[in-house]
Amino acid sequence: MGTIKIHTRSVGYLMNLKKLLQDTTGNLLVKKWKSIEKGDIVSIEDDMLPEVLRIQAEGFKNGSSEKLIRYSKNSKNIFYVMKSKDEIVGYCVYYLKPAISLKGFEKKSVISSIATDKNFRGRGFAERLLRISTEEMKVNGISSVLLYVNINNLPAIYLYKKIGFRKIKKGKKIYAARKKAVMRWN
């Protein structure tokens, strides 16, 4: 029994070390981020956060405001806010996930959260936000972008497919016992 506890503890430490290394490397990559001209899509500023949190709460029952606040402080370069006539209509935030593969060091990204104000849905804002942000990801050498989406959120899945995402896993209970699909763009 003691050997199993030691092994389990060692695996836990290694997983925590891997996450720490990914986070540290991801933070270094964000500091060297190259921005492209995005027009009405801007990096988040502190005064925008309350409106972004309102949009998140409106769109997600179990959204993590703490996570968005942390990203707004640590990852401003890849936390995009879309405006229309000085009004915030949506946001998209990524985190970088460096990986080592047979191809060598790869820069990957995961969409942590994306949402549009309910009064602005269906007008192409989310599509433009995704297209521009994935273009900037390409400029910065991101090889793929992952996202998790509720399998019942058909409008979102349609949008992601339109942008070029494709399902790579389906129907697993990933977060909060909800079935999610994993989609990748590259």
Side-chain angles (χ1 to χ4, degrees), residues 59-74:
F60 301 102
K61 292 177 187 168
N62 299 320
S64 172
S65 59
E66 294 83 22
K67 190 187 292 187
L68 281 185
I69 292 167
R70 187 174 67 246
Y71 287 148
S72 75
K73 306 241 181 287
N74 299 333

Side-chain angles (χ1 to χ4, degrees), residues 118-154:
K118 67 181 179 185
N119 298 316
F120 292 91
R121 291 182 186 151
R123 296 193 211 170
F125 288 112
E127 180 179 347
R128 186 169 174 334
L129 183 59
L130 274 172
R131 286 192 189 280
I132 295 293
S133 54
T134 53
E135 183 62 34
E136 189 167 281
M137 295 286 163
K138 273 196 261 184
V139 166
N140 284 281
I142 301 298
S143 61
S144 66
V145 179
L146 294 174
L147 62 82
Y148 301 89
V149 59
N150 184 312
I151 61 171
N152 296 318
N153 190 346
L154 298 179

Side-chain angles (χ1 to χ4, degrees), residues 8-22:
T8 303
R9 204 175 274 164
S10 297
V11 169
Y13 289 137
L14 288 174
M15 290 178 72
N16 285 338
L17 179 61
K18 178 183 175 186
K19 174 123 177 67
L20 178 65
L21 287 171
Q22 282 182 329

Side-chain angles (χ1 to χ4, degrees), residues 72-166:
S72 75
K73 306 241 181 287
N74 299 333
S75 303
K76 286 183 185 242
N77 296 352
I78 55 174
F79 192 136
Y80 305 111
V81 174
M82 180 160 222
K83 296 176 112 183
S84 176
K85 299 179 185 172
D86 292 328
E87 191 171 354
I88 295 173
V89 299
Y91 71 90
C92 184
V93 61
Y94 296 77
Y95 63 88
L96 300 181
K97 185 177 178 180
I100 297 175
S101 72
L102 295 174
K103 297 176 184 175
F105 179 74
E106 288 185 88
K107 294 189 258 180
K108 297 182 178 188
S109 182
V110 179
I111 295 177
S112 176
S113 184
I114 181 170
T116 306
D117 183 305
K118 67 181 179 185
N119 298 316
F120 292 91
R121 291 182 186 151
R123 296 193 211 170
F125 288 112
E127 180 179 347
R128 186 169 174 334
L129 183 59
L130 274 172
R131 286 192 189 280
I132 295 293
S133 54
T134 53
E135 183 62 34
E136 189 167 281
M137 295 286 163
K138 273 196 261 184
V139 166
N140 284 281
I142 301 298
S143 61
S144 66
V145 179
L146 294 174
L147 62 82
Y148 301 89
V149 59
N150 184 312
I151 61 171
N152 296 318
N153 190 346
L154 298 179
I157 291 171
Y158 173 77
L159 170 65
Y160 301 144
K161 285 182 175 181
K162 186 176 179 182
I163 301 295
F165 284 84
R166 66 186 191 290

Side-chain angles (χ1 to χ4, degrees), residues 97 146-151 157 161 166-174 179-184:
K97 185 177 178 180
L146 294 174
L147 62 82
Y148 301 89
V149 59
N150 184 312
I151 61 171
I157 291 171
K161 285 182 175 181
R166 66 186 191 290
K167 285 184 187 177
I168 57 173
K169 291 183 188 174
K170 183 179 173 184
K172 297 217 176 195
K173 291 185 178 183
I174 297 173
K179 289 187 178 181
K180 302 276 184 172
V182 181
M183 299 182 80
R184 180 173 64 207

